[in-house]
PDB file of all heavy atoms in Angstrom:
ATOM      1  N   LEU A  67     275.928 -48.541 -46.004  1.00 91.00           N
ATOM      2  CA  LEU A  67     277.061 -47.878 -46.676  1.00 91.00           C
ATOM      3  C   LEU A  67     277.562 -48.762 -47.862  1.00 91.00           C
ATOM      4  O   LEU A  67     277.813 -49.930 -47.642  1.00 91.00           O
ATOM      5  CB  LEU A  67     278.224 -47.634 -45.753  1.00 91.00           C
ATOM      6  CG  LEU A  67     277.931 -46.609 -44.618  1.00 91.00           C
ATOM      7  CD1 LEU A  67     279.126 -46.435 -43.693  1.00 91.00           C
ATOM      8  CD2 LEU A  67     277.509 -45.277 -45.190  1.00 91.00           C
ATOM      9  N   VAL A 106     286.900  -9.545 -48.793  1.00 94.00           N
ATOM     10  CA  VAL A 106     287.146  -8.219 -48.433  1.00 94.00           C
ATOM     11  C   VAL A 106     287.724  -8.164 -46.982  1.00 94.00           C
ATOM     12  O   VAL A 106     288.494  -7.166 -46.622  1.00 94.00           O
ATOM     13  CB  VAL A 106     285.886  -7.371 -48.456  1.00 94.00           C
ATOM     14  CG1 VAL A 106     285.426  -7.031 -49.859  1.00 94.00           C
ATOM     15  CG2 VAL A 106     284.784  -8.063 -47.583  1.00 94.00           C
ATOM     16  N   VAL A 171     307.403 -13.651 -48.900  1.00 96.00           N
ATOM     17  CA  VAL A 171     307.871 -14.704 -48.179  1.00 96.00           C
ATOM     18  C   VAL A 171     306.807 -15.811 -48.052  1.00 96.00           C
ATOM     19  O   VAL A 171     305.671 -15.508 -47.656  1.00 96.00           O
ATOM     20  CB  VAL A 171     308.342 -14.354 -46.675  1.00 96.00           C
ATOM     21  CG1 VAL A 171     308.795 -15.574 -45.897  1.00 96.00           C
ATOM     22  CG2 VAL A 171     309.423 -13.237 -46.755  1.00 96.00           C
ATOM     23  N   TRP A 192     290.471 -38.109 -49.735  1.00 98.00           N
ATOM     24  CA  TRP A 192     291.482 -37.273 -50.265  1.00 98.00           C
ATOM     25  C   TRP A 192     292.510 -36.939 -49.229  1.00 98.00           C
ATOM     26  O   TRP A 192     292.418 -37.176 -48.019  1.00 98.00           O
ATOM     27  CB  TRP A 192     290.940 -35.939 -50.871  1.00 98.00           C
ATOM     28  CG  TRP A 192     290.011 -35.125 -49.871  1.00 98.00           C
ATOM     29  CD1 TRP A 192     288.686 -35.111 -49.911  1.00 98.00           C
ATOM     30  CD2 TRP A 192     290.441 -34.106 -48.988  1.00 98.00           C
ATOM     31  NE1 TRP A 192     288.170 -34.259 -48.973  1.00 98.00           N
ATOM     32  CE2 TRP A 192     289.251 -33.596 -48.344  1.00 98.00           C
ATOM     33  CE3 TRP A 192     291.690 -33.626 -48.609  1.00 98.00           C
ATOM     34  CZ2 TRP A 192     289.265 -32.554 -47.456  1.00 98.00           C
ATOM     35  CZ3 TRP A 192     291.721 -32.613 -47.646  1.00 98.00           C
ATOM     36  CH2 TRP A 192     290.545 -32.085 -47.081  1.00 98.00           C
ATOM     37  N   PRO A 214     299.179 -26.397 -25.685  1.00 93.00           N
ATOM     38  CA  PRO A 214     298.594 -25.823 -26.876  1.00 93.00           C
ATOM     39  C   PRO A 214     299.529 -26.017 -28.059  1.00 93.00           C
ATOM     40  O   PRO A 214     298.958 -26.042 -29.224  1.00 93.00           O
ATOM     41  CB  PRO A 214     298.427 -24.334 -26.514  1.00 93.00           C
ATOM     42  CG  PRO A 214     299.489 -24.069 -25.499  1.00 93.00           C
ATOM     43  CD  PRO A 214     299.637 -25.293 -24.698  1.00 93.00           C
ATOM     44  N   PRO A 318     282.063 -14.117 -31.122  1.00 98.00           N
ATOM     45  CA  PRO A 318     281.692 -14.957 -30.026  1.00 98.00           C
ATOM     46  C   PRO A 318     280.505 -14.471 -29.203  1.00 98.00           C
ATOM     47  O   PRO A 318     280.327 -13.198 -29.086  1.00 98.00           O
ATOM     48  CB  PRO A 318     282.986 -14.869 -29.108  1.00 98.00           C
ATOM     49  CG  PRO A 318     284.063 -14.494 -30.097  1.00 98.00           C
ATOM     50  CD  PRO A 318     283.424 -13.647 -31.127  1.00 98.00           C
ATOM     51  N   TRP A 452     261.721 -26.775 -33.473  1.00 98.00           N
ATOM     52  CA  TRP A 452     260.880 -27.630 -32.469  1.00 98.00           C
ATOM     53  C   TRP A 452     261.732 -27.731 -31.178  1.00 98.00           C
ATOM     54  O   TRP A 452     261.246 -27.451 -30.096  1.00 98.00           O
ATOM     55  CB  TRP A 452     260.558 -28.948 -33.039  1.00 98.00           C
ATOM     56  CG  TRP A 452     260.121 -29.932 -31.968  1.00 98.00           C
ATOM     57  CD1 TRP A 452     258.980 -29.857 -31.226  1.00 98.00           C
ATOM     58  CD2 TRP A 452     260.923 -31.048 -31.555  1.00 98.00           C
ATOM     59  NE1 TRP A 452     258.966 -30.898 -30.289  1.00 98.00           N
ATOM     60  CE2 TRP A 452     260.072 -31.704 -30.503  1.00 98.00           C
ATOM     61  CE3 TRP A 452     262.067 -31.695 -31.954  1.00 98.00           C
ATOM     62  CZ2 TRP A 452     260.498 -32.923 -29.876  1.00 98.00           C
ATOM     63  CZ3 TRP A 452     262.340 -32.887 -31.299  1.00 98.00           C
ATOM     64  CH2 TRP A 452     261.697 -33.467 -30.282  1.00 98.00           C
ATOM     65  N   ARG A 460     262.110 -25.453 -19.326  1.00 94.00           N
ATOM     66  CA  ARG A 460     263.235 -25.148 -18.355  1.00 94.00           C
ATOM     67  C   ARG A 460     263.216 -23.649 -17.812  1.00 94.00           C
ATOM     68  O   ARG A 460     263.491 -23.428 -16.645  1.00 94.00           O
ATOM     69  CB  ARG A 460     264.600 -25.477 -18.949  1.00 94.00           C
ATOM     70  CG  ARG A 460     264.758 -26.896 -19.482  1.00 94.00           C
ATOM     71  CD  ARG A 460     264.763 -27.896 -18.265  1.00 94.00           C
ATOM     72  NE  ARG A 460     264.824 -29.269 -18.760  1.00 94.00           N
ATOM     73  CZ  ARG A 460     265.967 -29.924 -18.880  1.00 94.00           C
ATOM     74  NH1 ARG A 460     267.162 -29.467 -18.620  1.00 94.00           N
ATOM     75  NH2 ARG A 460     265.882 -31.203 -19.281  1.00 94.00           N
ATOM     76  N   GLY A 557     296.127 -33.974 -15.636  1.00 95.00           N
ATOM     77  CA  GLY A 557     294.800 -33.481 -16.073  1.00 95.00           C
ATOM     78  C   GLY A 557     294.831 -31.898 -15.809  1.00 95.00           C
ATOM     79  O   GLY A 557     294.226 -31.213 -16.592  1.00 95.00           O
ATOM     80  N   ARG A 635     285.968 -12.666  -7.935  1.00 98.00           N
ATOM     81  CA  ARG A 635     284.894 -11.697  -7.979  1.00 98.00           C
ATOM     82  C   ARG A 635     285.496 -10.267  -8.123  1.00 98.00           C
ATOM     83  O   ARG A 635     284.882  -9.420  -8.855  1.00 98.00           O
ATOM     84  CB  ARG A 635     284.107 -11.797  -6.686  1.00 98.00           C
ATOM     85  CG  ARG A 635     283.015 -10.753  -6.524  1.00 98.00           C
ATOM     86  CD  ARG A 635     281.860 -11.241  -5.691  1.00 98.00           C
ATOM     87  NE  ARG A 635     281.083 -12.299  -6.251  1.00 98.00           N
ATOM     88  CZ  ARG A 635     280.022 -12.833  -5.665  1.00 98.00           C
ATOM     89  NH1 ARG A 635     279.615 -12.367  -4.429  1.00 98.00           N
ATOM     90  NH2 ARG A 635     279.360 -13.858  -6.242  1.00 98.00           N
ATOM     91  N   ASP A 726     299.156 -20.560  -0.852  1.00 97.00           N
ATOM     92  CA  ASP A 726     297.952 -19.677  -0.733  1.00 97.00           C
ATOM     93  C   ASP A 726     297.849 -18.785  -2.099  1.00 97.00           C
ATOM     94  O   ASP A 726     296.751 -18.130  -2.109  1.00 97.00           O
ATOM     95  CB  ASP A 726     298.113 -18.621   0.462  1.00 97.00           C
ATOM     96  CG  ASP A 726     299.322 -17.736   0.342  1.00 97.00           C
ATOM     97  OD1 ASP A 726     300.280 -18.065  -0.410  1.00 97.00           O
ATOM     98  OD2 ASP A 726     299.326 -16.710   0.965  1.00 97.00           O
ATOM     99  N   PRO A 729     301.712 -17.223  -8.832  1.00 98.00           N
ATOM    100  CA  PRO A 729     302.221 -15.992  -9.286  1.00 98.00           C
ATOM    101  C   PRO A 729     301.353 -15.353 -10.467  1.00 98.00           C
ATOM    102  O   PRO A 729     300.997 -15.981 -11.301  1.00 98.00           O
ATOM    103  CB  PRO A 729     303.647 -16.447  -9.939  1.00 98.00           C
ATOM    104  CG  PRO A 729     303.970 -17.737  -9.155  1.00 98.00           C
ATOM    105  CD  PRO A 729     302.609 -18.450  -9.004  1.00 98.00           C
ATOM    106  N   ALA A 734     303.300  -3.165 -16.674  1.00 98.00           N
ATOM    107  CA  ALA A 734     303.467  -1.847 -16.365  1.00 98.00           C
ATOM    108  C   ALA A 734     302.594  -0.886 -17.204  1.00 98.00           C
ATOM    109  O   ALA A 734     302.585  -1.079 -18.417  1.00 98.00           O
ATOM    110  CB  ALA A 734     304.954  -1.445 -16.469  1.00 98.00           C
ATOM    111  N   PRO A 813     309.496   0.857  -3.567  1.00 62.00           N
ATOM    112  CA  PRO A 813     310.911   0.648  -4.000  1.00 62.00           C
ATOM    113  C   PRO A 813     310.985  -0.764  -4.649  1.00 62.00           C
ATOM    114  O   PRO A 813     310.338  -1.751  -4.215  1.00 62.00           O
ATOM    115  CB  PRO A 813     311.634   0.692  -2.587  1.00 62.00           C
ATOM    116  CG  PRO A 813     310.667   0.360  -1.584  1.00 62.00           C
ATOM    117  CD  PRO A 813     309.339   0.947  -2.160  1.00 62.00           C
TER     118      PRO A 813
END
Side-chain angles (χ1 to χ4, degrees):
L67 294 176
V106 290
V171 179
W192 52 265
W452 163 68
R460 300 292 175 96
R635 179 155 289 184
D726 65 338

